[in-house]
Amino acid sequence: MNPFSVQHIKHTQDITGLSTEDGAKYIAGGTNLIDLMKLQVETPSQLINLSQWEDEQSITEESDHFRIGAMVTNTTLANYAYKKPSLSLLSQALLSGATVQLRNRATTGGNLLQRTRCYYFYDTTKACNKRQPGSGCAALTSMNRIHAILGTSEDCIATHPSDMAVAMMALNARVVLNGHSDGIREIPLRNFHCEPGSTPHVENVLKDDEVISAVIIPKQCNGTQYYRKVRDRSSYAFALVSVGAGLVLKNDTIEKLTLAFGGVGTKPWYPASAIKVLVGAEFSDEVLDLAIDAELVDAKVYGSNNFKPDLLRNTFKSVLNSLYEHQRENEDYEGALYEN
């Protein structure tokens, strides 16, 4: 084991002056970082422990938004969202991920920052540009069944594993970043994660002196909501494809649509092209095909994951058709399509 020091943070003002520039890492629940340290993928010289950060362990409801502290656990957030019809999608996504024990430890901020579960990233004997820039990407020409088809590059095709981030993106969440150089800044979640390009080791827009302090989700009518996760087994597995959606109809016209994909992108995927086709259109099987065609136009497959475009298409259409039927039968309904 490599030696490291630990610094504990209890209050927001304690963050001032801290930086990860010299190899330090923030640790919250530890459900991802500890595994990576055991495998020597991460070898921090210092851990900055946020688990006792008292100022960011609660959820508050304001007149126009929900504010979720970065240290709120996935269990606490899932239970809270379950009771709020407009957040049903978030509860469904959280309850589809990990185990009860992991959800009890995993945090909101940590979930957004978890790293890929790519086999080659975890195996230090294999080439991985995300782990060691310039070393190559073993996934490109090897088994790549779980890997991305959207947002990929010649340097990386690893998927982002979060279910929570998919739901939050669909719900138009914003991330609050706290740092001493730029103060507090707030950015849309859809702009937080980076596509790999030629720098796959740069995974998000966080600066060295910044930390996630909260997530803001606006209060809005999201209609009937459904999170479907397609995976190799019915529980405790990462998504091959996931679709999170909320639908509001006016007669047969799609008045509002919240939508995001998981398991197919190098980051939680916001399908802007599909949404552009769908919103304002009359619901039909033909318009669903046009929408997913528009989103898949830049998709790339790499051998073992050649099935993913069809799987995404079928899952997307199934979810939207289920939402449509439910909305037709339950006008003005808001909440889960099925019980969480």
Side-chain angles (χ1 to χ4, degrees), residues 195-252:
E195 292 182 21
S198 60
T199 56
H201 59 289
V202 180
E203 298 180 345
N204 54 66
V205 299
L206 272 175
K207 298 181 180 179
D208 290 332
D209 65 345
E210 285 184 318
V211 63
I212 295 174
S213 56
V215 173
I216 304 293
I217 299 180
K219 283 186 174 178
Q220 54 190 10
C221 177
N222 295 307
T224 309
Q225 298 155 62
Y226 188 15
Y227 185 78
R228 177 173 288 179
K229 182 177 180 179
V230 181
R231 43 190 163 173
D232 286 323
R233 55 182 187 271
S234 61
S235 62
Y236 311 149
F238 294 100
L240 291 171
V241 165
S242 66
V243 174
L247 180 66
V248 178
L249 290 173
K250 186 174 183 179
N251 298 321
D252 269 1

Side-chain angles (χ1 to χ4, degrees), residues 5 10 14 16-17 44 79 130 158-159 162 170 174 214 217 228 266 272 280 289 292 314 320:
S5 61
K10 289 191 175 182
D14 298 334
T16 303
N79 291 339
K130 189 178 285 290
T159 51
S162 175
R174 305 188 303 275
I217 299 180
R228 177 173 288 179
T266 52
D289 278 322
I292 197 63
N314 294 337
L320 268 291

Side-chain angles (χ1 to χ4, degrees), residues 90-263:
L90 180 56
S91 180
Q92 294 176 63
L94 284 164
L95 293 173
S96 75
T99 64
V100 173
Q101 294 88 344
L102 287 173
R103 292 197 297 267
N104 287 344
R105 291 291 302 170
T107 63
T108 299
N111 189 303
L112 293 177
L113 293 173
Q114 66 181 301
R115 307 200 70 186
T116 183
R117 263 58 179 191
C118 171
Y119 332 116
Y120 309 102
F121 173 71
Y122 270 73
D123 186 348
T124 56
T125 68
K126 300 295 190 296
C128 175
N129 289 317
K130 189 178 285 290
R131 189 184 65 247
Q132 185 179 352
S135 63
C137 176
L140 285 168
T141 56
S142 304
M143 174 64 72
N144 45 43
R145 184 171 179 272
I146 67 170
H147 288 72
I149 59 173
L150 295 168
T152 60
S153 73
E154 294 180 357
D155 291 305
C156 184
I157 60 172
T159 51
H160 192 280
S162 175
D163 292 295
M164 183 196 78
V166 175
M168 284 187 169
M169 184 171 288
L171 296 172
N172 202 28
R174 305 188 303 275
V175 186
V176 181
L177 307 180
N178 198 318
H180 61 268
S181 62
D182 289 335
I184 296 175
R185 61 185 181 125
E186 193 174 303
I187 63 172
L189 177 57
R190 68 186 68 163
N191 297 334
F192 177 72
H193 296 97
C194 301
E195 292 182 21
S198 60
T199 56
H201 59 289
V202 180
E203 298 180 345
N204 54 66
V205 299
L206 272 175
K207 298 181 180 179
D208 290 332
D209 65 345
E210 285 184 318
V211 63
I212 295 174
S213 56
V215 173
I216 304 293
I217 299 180
K219 283 186 174 178
Q220 54 190 10
C221 177
N222 295 307
T224 309
Q225 298 155 62
Y226 188 15
Y227 185 78
R228 177 173 288 179
K229 182 177 180 179
V230 181
R231 43 190 163 173
D232 286 323
R233 55 182 187 271
S234 61
S235 62
Y236 311 149
F238 294 100
L240 291 171
V241 165
S242 66
V243 174
L247 180 66
V248 178
L249 290 173
K250 186 174 183 179
N251 298 321
D252 269 1
T253 299
I254 300 172
E255 186 173 51
K256 183 176 180 182
L257 177 69
T258 55
L259 185 66
F261 299 154

Side-chain angles (χ1 to χ4, degrees), residues 31-47:
T31 59
N32 187 207
L33 180 59
I34 296 300
D35 286 341
L36 295 174
M37 289 174 67
K38 289 178 180 178
L39 296 170
Q40 301 291 302
V41 175
E42 296 275 14
T43 55
S45 58
Q46 181 186 29
L47 292 182

